[in-house]
Structures are given as C-alpha cells and as structure tokens.
Amino acid sequence: MSRRGKFITFEGLDGTGKSTHLRKLAAVLRAAGHKVVETREPGGTATGEKIRRVLLDSATEGLSPLAEMALMFASRAQHIAEVIQPALDDGKIVLCDRFTDSTEAYQGSGRKLGSEAVLKLHRVFCGDLQPDLTILLESDPAMSVGRARRRNRRTSRRQHNSSNKTASKHADENRFEQQTRAFFARVHEGYLAIAEREPQRVAAVDASGTPAQTHRRIVDLLQRKLRLGRN
C-alpha cells in the first residue's frame, strides 16, 4: 500500500499570485521526483468548472450568499471524490488553489454567514479532510484586488476579441472583484483569524515583494514544515 500523499493549499485574496506560485512550486517538487497534481477551486472537475462559471460570472450578481456557499461545497465535494482523495491515496502531492478556508473567508466573513456554518458544512461534505499545509499569501488588500481587477479585464478583452467564441463565452470571472472595499477588508480579516486559530496548518507568507522573493519564502516554508526533499 502506498503512503498517503500531501495536500497543500494556497489561499489569499485574488491578485496575490496564488496560481503563479502554485505552478512554480509544482515545478520544484516535480524536479525533486515527486508526483504532483495541480488543481483549483471552485472547479477542478468538469462539474466543478461549470459551477465556477456560475459563481464567478458578474452576470450572476443576484445569487444569494447561502446559495453561493452551497455551490462552493457542491463543487468541493465532487472535487474531493474525483481528484483530491484518489491522488492522496496514490501517494501524490496535491497542490490546490483555494479550499474551505476560502469559503470561510469569503462567505463566512465577507458575506457575514459566520465561520460556524462553513465548518459544519465542511464536516458534512468533506469529512476529516484537511490540508497538511496551507500557504496564505499576504499582501495589501487594495493592491491585490486592484491587480486582480486589471488581470480579469485584460482576460475579458482578449477573449472578447478572440475568434474562439466558446472561450469568450465564459471569460468573465469578475463577480467577486466588483465587491466593495469593506467586503475585502472582512475577507482579509477572516483569513487572519483562520491563521491565528490554526497556526500549525496555516502559514502566512509575505507576498508583497518580487515573485522570486515570494517563491523562495514558499520553498523554504515547505522544507521547514513538511521536509519534502527528493523522493
């Protein structure tokens, strides 16, 4: 029987570089001989990607906070069953862009639904599954959100001008970036509260420097916390 793999999640506001640093870390781990699965939430499966389009499209502005949270967990339950748990059982390292901490920060704190509801739903839909390590990328909220808004506008323009109409149809992922400054302040505080509550699992990494500096901090953290050397 193969040993259980490691589950590592990246968290933080949009615009902190989660996707970029996840890919960089995956390359380092593969170079060290590890089998790595890269995935994201919401999404990660065919069903999850359909749910992602509903959740992130700015045209879905009328979605209630409770419906939003329910859809997040529906995507997550399928993601765990189809991708995450099989990879862990096979001894692989799973790198995931967002997990339940995002729901607690965005819906629990940002939408004011509270942490208790999120954690109860996590137990129902996710069982005992928790990341071995959560990397919380920390930078100024206004700067991060501004970067995410500019990125999404560029993506939308590129897809709109593209001859690939199928791609342009689902290019809009701006719904959360349209929220108020107060909303993102609550999300940020929610993340900090999670890190304070679970310091053994959640490690904040300063992402305000250059991408190379942040990457170095992440690699050092991983070696210190999980001792993932060559396989």
Side-chain angles (χ1 to χ4, degrees):
M1 180 182 295
S2 64
R3 63 180 181 179
R4 180 189 180 274
K6 296 292 185 182
F7 184 26
I8 301 168
T9 57
F10 281 75
E11 293 286 355
L13 293 170
D14 275 349
T16 53
K18 296 185 313 304
S19 300
T20 297
H21 288 296
L22 187 152
R23 289 193 297 269
K24 286 177 175 286
L25 181 59
V28 168
L29 290 170
R30 288 189 179 110
H34 296 281
K35 293 181 179 178
V36 180
V37 171
E38 300 173 55
T39 190
R40 69 176 183 177
E41 291 201 350
T45 66
T47 300
E49 292 298 325
K50 292 177 183 177
I51 294 173
R52 180 185 182 90
R53 290 197 288 269
V54 173
L55 284 165
L56 302 189
D57 193 320
S58 56
T60 323
E61 60 184 354
L63 195 65
S64 79
L66 284 171
E68 184 179 275
M69 182 165 66
L71 286 171
M72 290 287 186
F73 273 106
S75 174
R76 184 165 298 130
Q78 184 65 25
H79 194 201
I80 291 169
E82 191 174 328
V83 177
I84 297 174
Q85 195 61 59
L88 293 175
D89 292 343
D90 199 31
K92 297 174 182 175
I93 297 175
V94 177
L95 302 182
C96 189
D97 184 346
R98 300 196 180 284
F99 195 59
T100 299
D101 292 325
S102 279
T103 307
E104 186 174 353
Y106 278 80
Q107 284 72 50
S109 295
R111 301 290 193 213
K112 301 181 180 180
L113 295 178
S115 294
E116 184 179 355
V118 176
L119 296 177
K120 281 183 177 179
L121 286 175
H122 178 85
R123 287 192 290 271
V124 171
F125 288 100
C126 310
D128 296 327
L129 183 63
Q130 289 287 354
D132 296 285
L133 175 65
T134 295
I135 299 166
L136 174 59
L137 294 178
E138 266 282 278
S139 69
D140 176 69
M143 184 181 300
S144 299
V145 173
R147 189 182 302 126
R149 285 172 174 160
R150 291 191 295 272
R151 176 200 66 205
N152 286 345
R153 282 197 296 268
R154 287 195 302 270
T155 301
S156 294
R157 282 197 298 269
R158 280 200 304 270
Q159 298 290 4
H160 179 75
N161 295 330
S162 171
S163 59
N164 186 342
K165 299 304 181 183
T166 301
S168 64
K169 183 180 178 182
H170 300 302
D172 184 352
E173 291 194 351
N174 294 285
R175 181 168 169 266
F176 279 95
E177 277 65 57
Q178 293 176 350
Q179 298 301 312
T180 65
R181 182 177 297 182
F183 172 83
F184 287 111
R186 291 194 299 272
V187 173
H188 185 242
E189 289 301 315
Y191 272 127
L192 295 180
I194 295 169
E196 183 176 358
R197 186 184 73 214
E198 299 187 51
Q200 295 305 311
R201 174 177 67 85
V202 183
V205 172
D206 181 4
S208 61
T210 67
Q213 289 171 332
T214 304
H215 176 63
R216 185 68 255 166
R217 292 183 186 117
I218 291 170
V219 172
D220 289 345
L221 170 68
L222 202 71
Q223 291 172 341
R224 189 170 66 250
K225 286 277 191 177
L226 299 183
R227 294 180 172 83
L228 287 176
R230 291 207 159 266
N231 201 13

